[in-house]
C-alpha cells in the first residue's frame, strides 16, 4: 500500500480492547486464547475500503494505553483525520480516563473527528459483566463529538459499520478530501520522478 488517505488513531486505557478492535476490523479475526500484551508506542495496520463509490486506503495507529508510554504516543496523534477513544461500559475507570485521552488528543490535533467506542458488548449481552457507565451519560457526552458505537470484537458486531461510518464522514468532508486529493497528486509526481530518475540504471 503506497499511500494512506485517512489516518485513524485509537486511544484509550489499557485492557479496553483497542488492539482486538483493530484486528477484528483488518483481519476479521478474534483470538481469545492470545495472552494480553501491552502495545508499546503504537502499532500500525492498513486496510483498503470502498465507500460511496470510491476507494480509500485507511491507516490505523493503535496507541499504547499505559501511562508510561504517553509521551511517546502523542507523536502518533499528529495528522490524524479521525480518532477513536475506547472505553469499557463495565469499567467506570476507563470512562473517567476518557476525558484525559480527549484532552491529550486536542493538544496535538485539534480538528480531527472524534468517535467514542464502547467495547466488549458481548460481555454485556451475556450478563457476564454489569454496566457501570450509564447510557444517558454516554449519550450526553457524545453529542459534542462525531459519534458513538458499542462494539464487540469477539462477535464482530458493529465493527465494520463503525469504521465505515468514520470513512464516510471523512469522505464527506470537503476540506479533508481536498487534502487527500492534493496528497495523491503529490505522491504520483514523486513516484513518476523516481521512476524517471532510475530508468537509465541497469541492475543486471
Amino acid at each position: 500500500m503506497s499511500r494512506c488517505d485517512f489516518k485513524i488513531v485509537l486511544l484509550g486505557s489499557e485492557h479496553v480492547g483497542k488492539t482486538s478492535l483493530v484486528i477484528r476490523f483488518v483481519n476479521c479475526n478474534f483470538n481469545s486464547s492470545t495472552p494480553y500484551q501491552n502495545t508499546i508506542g503504537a502499532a500500525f495496520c492498513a486496510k483498503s475500503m470502498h465507500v460511496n463509490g470510491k476507494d480509500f486506503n485507511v491507516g490505523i495507529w493503535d496507541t499504547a494505553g499505559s501511562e508510561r508510554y504517553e509521551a511517546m504516543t502523542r507523536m502518533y496523534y499528529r495528522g490524524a483525520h479521525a480518532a477513536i477513544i475506547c472505553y469499557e461500559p463495565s469499567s467506570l475507570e476507563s470512562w473517567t480516563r476518557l476525558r484525559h485521552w480527549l484532552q491529550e488528543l486536542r493538544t496535538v490535533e485539534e480538528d480531527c473527528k472524534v468517535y467514542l467506542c464502547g467495547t466488549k458488548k458481548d460481555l454485556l449481552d451475556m450478563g457476564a459483566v454489569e454496566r457501570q457507565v450509564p447510557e444517558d451519560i454516554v449519550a450526553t457526552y457524545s453529542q459534542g463529538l462525531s459519534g458513538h458505537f458499542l462494539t464487540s470484537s469477539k462477535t464482530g458486531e458493529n465493527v465494520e459499520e463503525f469504521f465505515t461510518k468514520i470513512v464516510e464522514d471523512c469522505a464527506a468532508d470537503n476540506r479533508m478530501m481536498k487534502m487527500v486529493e492534493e496528497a495523491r497528486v503529490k505522491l504520483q509526481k514523486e513516484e513518476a520522478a523516481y521512476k524517471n530518475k532510475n530508468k537509465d540504471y541497469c541492475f543486471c
Side-chain angles (χ1 to χ4, degrees), residues 48-102:
S48 296
M49 298 184 67
H50 186 77
V51 174
N52 295 340
K54 295 182 178 181
D55 293 318
F56 298 101
N57 290 331
V58 181
I60 305 167
W61 277 257
D62 171 21
T63 65
S66 175
E67 292 184 27
R68 77 182 81 171
Y69 300 124
E70 283 186 14
M72 186 190 307
T73 57
R74 289 191 195 101
M75 70 178 72
Y76 297 102
Y77 303 162
R78 190 165 303 281
H81 299 96
I84 300 171
I85 307 181
C86 296
Y87 72 96
E88 279 188 60
S90 61
S91 169
L92 188 59
E93 181 182 359
S94 72
W95 174 260
T96 303
R97 287 280 291 170
L98 188 146
R99 293 177 182 270
H100 162 78
W101 294 114
L102 180 59

Side-chain angles (χ1 to χ4, degrees), residues 17-200:
K18 300 187 299 296
T19 300
S20 293
L21 181 67
V22 174
I23 292 174
R24 165 58 74 173
F25 172 62
V26 175
N27 299 327
C28 298
N29 185 40
F30 178 83
N31 191 345
S32 58
S33 63
T34 302
Y36 177 81
Q37 291 183 326
N38 280 329
T39 300
I40 300 175
F44 174 77
C45 290
K47 184 171 181 176
S48 296
M49 298 184 67
H50 186 77
V51 174
N52 295 340
K54 295 182 178 181
D55 293 318
F56 298 101
N57 290 331
V58 181
I60 305 167
W61 277 257
D62 171 21
T63 65
S66 175
E67 292 184 27
R68 77 182 81 171
Y69 300 124
E70 283 186 14
M72 186 190 307
T73 57
R74 289 191 195 101
M75 70 178 72
Y76 297 102
Y77 303 162
R78 190 165 303 281
H81 299 96
I84 300 171
I85 307 181
C86 296
Y87 72 96
E88 279 188 60
S90 61
S91 169
L92 188 59
E93 181 182 359
S94 72
W95 174 260
T96 303
R97 287 280 291 170
L98 188 146
R99 293 177 182 270
H100 162 78
W101 294 114
L102 180 59
Q103 291 172 355
E104 286 284 290
L105 174 69
R106 290 307 192 199
T107 60
V108 178
E109 198 59 54
E110 185 176 356
D111 296 326
C112 80
K113 302 178 188 300
V114 180
Y115 301 79
L116 302 187
C117 179
T119 60
K120 308 181 185 180
K121 181 178 184 295
D122 54 289
L123 297 180
L124 283 178
D125 294 341
M126 292 168 53
V129 296
E130 293 185 3
R131 174 182 283 275
Q132 292 187 10
V133 184
E135 293 181 73
D136 58 334
I137 291 179
V138 176
T140 299
Y141 192 78
S142 301
Q143 288 179 359
L145 304 176
S146 297
H148 170 265
F149 273 71
L150 192 57
T151 65
S152 169
S153 298
K154 184 175 183 178
T155 66
E157 184 175 357
N158 289 333
V159 174
E160 185 74 24
E161 293 85 350
F162 185 25
F163 281 92
T164 298
K165 176 65 165 61
I166 294 173
V167 176
E168 286 177 343
D169 290 349
C170 290
D173 188 317
N174 292 331
R175 179 186 63 85
M176 197 173 291
M177 281 303 299
K178 182 180 178 181
M179 291 190 295
V180 168
E181 294 300 334
E182 289 175 350
R184 286 181 175 182
V185 171
K186 180 180 178 182
L187 181 60
Q188 289 173 352
K189 290 181 178 179
E190 290 175 350
E191 290 178 342
Y194 177 81
K195 290 178 181 178
N196 186 60
K197 180 181 178 181
N198 291 277
K199 68 179 181 179
D200 296 326

